[in-house]
Amino acid sequence: MRRLLALRQEQKLTTRHVRLMAQSLEVTERTVWRWLAAGERDESAAAEPGARAQSKDRFSVTPEVRRLLALWKGNVAAVHRELTARAARGEGAPPPSIPTLHRAIRRDLTPGERAGLAGGERAARKHDVFLARPRGWRNQVWETDHMQAPVIIDVEGRARRPWITWFTDCATNAITGLAVTPVHPSRESVLAALRSAVLREDPYGPFGGLPEKVRVDRGKDFLSRTVTAAFDLLDVTVEDLPAYTPHLKGTVEGLNRAVEGMFLAALPGYARQPRPGKRPSRPKDEVLLGFEAFTARLLVWTRWWNTEHRPAPLRGRTPLEAWQEDPTPLRDVAVADLWTFTLEDAGTRTLTTRGIRFRKRDYVGPWMTGQAGIQVRVRFMPHHDHRIEVYHAATGRYLGPADLADQATEEQVSAVRRARAARARRLKKDLEASQRDRYAAVNQPEAPRRLGTLTTAQAEAELAQTADADLAQLALPDLLPPAAPPADWRTPPSLAARSTPGRLVPALSEPAPGGPTARAADTAEDGDA
């Protein structure tokens, strides 16, 4: 730029020089001419062409502007109106124009700050820079998470969105194990996924073994007493990450995003599929996948991810190739021990002739013959009430399973579920009716006025119906007053006043009533009556 200024002072500057400078800087020729004019007025403008001139009176973002930006969710026009109204009340200097205010905010605030003032910390985090962890070695660190699949499937005639719980190896990006549930997952889902992750069997290929560490995100299922006890018995460290920090477990979060675009989006019943019309909805003739079919397809995709997919961080290798190239020794655990460690402990019980009493129900098994009287330890899978696993209390030896005695049939269970659903619908309807209040619309400041009037007869009838349903009001404690106590008892005055005169209770020293003489006397009195 200084060379062009020198040529201009020597009157040797041509349009060709300006055109070449504009092409090299990728700006217009008009911009170059404006920079030349600014450079003739100020030498600093020649050193930094295009930079705005510094001025002591230039408007800068103040703490008050930042607070207003947070109040109005990043709306600069609203902030300008607020500043103008305050200036009119004499509470500050008049604000600059809206373009100047926009320029000052873009100049003085970073994109992350502007996003945070408008949308909070989660929006600001999208503009942060995160470091990548070293790849490490296989089974050094696993990450786990729940994910609700955006796919609607058919579960016993009802449309539901299933949940996926899986474990991933951070060094190889391999899916070591997973579990699928039709409804919201629980600690049982975590334990099932953990067993499939540790066992090096199909359908997960050679992946598995015990990891050194597992990262979780403060989920109550992952931090439950049963799951933490299982990790402790397996000698696995649990790293509890702070809340709202998905970037600290980027491997499993990346898997959650990848499975939707690479697999779930192509399934029937995909919930985020663009639909035509103003109010998009699912086609009525759409055939949904069943739970079994969805699980089968997910396992096929998991096998493809582990054996054929080549993630970018692995530099052209599949997770299987990265796993097999790693010479790190694996820690395996026996299937029986793994099953024991991933069960919830319910303490000791005594085996009786009726079996084992657990949660007010009896459990029996064919191995119990001749074992009544021994002390056993009960372990069970959470929410699996039909069976428990029994171990010897002293030696810890596995004795066998015990099934629920007198288990209801599927027809009975279905009938109970239908009755419970009907009762829940009636209760929901009653609650909605009781909370459906209407108020009068107003166009002037006034107190809220509730709508809905009742006649005196309607109010009395509804109150009478409520009183009839209240068992405490139906009770009549004084209908049959207590009998009078014996004469030799020291009776409180309150009880003596309420007792029935003439009905004496026999003393403790007298023979118990009900003998032949007493029954004969009672019969004679009844006959005379």
Side-chain angles (χ1 to χ4, degrees), residues 426-441:
R426 289 195 302 268
L427 179 59
K428 181 180 179 181
K429 184 177 180 180
D430 294 340
L431 292 176
E432 290 178 350
S434 64
Q435 298 177 359
R436 191 182 298 116
D437 295 332
R438 295 186 181 275
Y439 291 86

Side-chain angles (χ1 to χ4, degrees), residues 197-485:
V198 173
L199 295 177
R200 295 194 293 137
E201 300 176 351
D202 287 337
Y204 311 106
F207 309 100
L210 291 178
E212 299 178 16
K213 181 191 296 185
V214 174
R215 295 194 186 104
V216 300
D217 58 354
R218 287 189 178 272
K220 63 178 182 179
D221 303 326
F222 298 103
L223 298 179
S224 63
R225 178 173 56 88
T226 304
V227 176
T228 53
F231 281 130
D232 186 53
L233 291 172
L234 296 173
D235 193 20
V236 176
T237 304
V238 178
E239 183 180 358
D240 183 16
L241 301 176
Y244 304 105
T245 55
H247 58 281
L248 295 182
K249 52 182 183 66
T251 303
V252 70
E253 292 292 341
L255 176 62
N256 290 339
R257 293 189 298 267
V259 69
E260 180 175 356
M262 302 174 67
F263 170 64
L264 299 177
L267 295 180
Y270 179 59
R272 298 171 184 168
Q273 185 71 29
R275 308 287 185 185
K278 297 181 179 179
R279 300 184 62 181
S281 59
R282 278 195 311 112
K284 296 182 179 180
D285 57 347
E286 185 177 19
V287 179
L288 301 179
L289 288 175
F291 178 72
E292 183 178 358
F294 172 79
T295 306
R297 293 196 183 190
L298 179 61
L299 292 178
V300 172
W301 181 85
T302 302
R303 190 179 299 108
W304 171 84
W305 173 277
N306 286 339
T307 59
E308 300 182 25
H309 179 55
R310 302 180 185 274
L314 299 183
R315 299 179 179 179
R317 297 177 299 169
T318 65
L320 177 60
E321 294 172 349
W323 181 275
Q324 293 175 341
E325 293 174 4
D326 194 330
T328 305
L330 302 176
R331 293 191 302 157
D332 290 324
V333 61
V335 178
D337 295 339
L338 179 63
W339 175 255
T340 303
F341 294 157
T342 54
L343 292 175
E344 188 165 340
D345 190 0
T348 58
R349 300 288 194 279
T350 300
L351 179 60
T352 65
T353 55
R354 299 183 57 182
I356 298 175
R357 191 70 174 176
F358 175 63
R359 291 183 176 177
K360 300 181 180 181
R361 298 189 294 186
D362 294 325
Y363 290 82
V364 296
W367 57 268
M368 294 181 179
T369 304
Q371 301 282 349
I374 66 173
Q375 293 290 321
V376 297
R377 179 170 292 276
V378 175
R379 294 179 179 271
F380 67 99
M381 176 63 94
H383 311 296
H384 288 239
D385 300 331
H386 63 283
R387 172 173 291 187
I388 59 176
E389 304 294 334
V390 186
Y391 298 79
H392 197 280
T395 63
R397 180 172 56 89
Y398 177 65
L399 299 178
D403 295 323
L404 179 64
D406 193 21
Q407 184 173 351
T409 62
E410 290 294 335
E411 292 77 8
Q412 291 174 330
V413 173
S414 299
V416 170
R417 289 175 178 172
R418 288 194 299 268
R420 289 177 179 176
R423 181 182 60 188
R425 288 193 298 268
R426 289 195 302 268
L427 179 59
K428 181 180 179 181
K429 184 177 180 180
D430 294 340
L431 292 176
E432 290 178 350
S434 64
Q435 298 177 359
R436 191 182 298 116
D437 295 332
R438 295 186 181 275
Y439 291 86
V442 300
N443 49 25
Q444 296 293 336
E446 62 180 61
R449 181 162 50 91
R450 192 190 300 267
L451 299 178
T453 57
L454 293 175
T455 64
T456 304
Q458 290 175 336
E460 293 178 352
E462 188 166 347
L463 291 176
Q465 183 180 2
T466 305
D468 293 341
D470 192 352
L471 297 180
Q473 295 185 8
L474 291 176
L476 300 176
D478 298 331
L479 181 61
L480 297 176

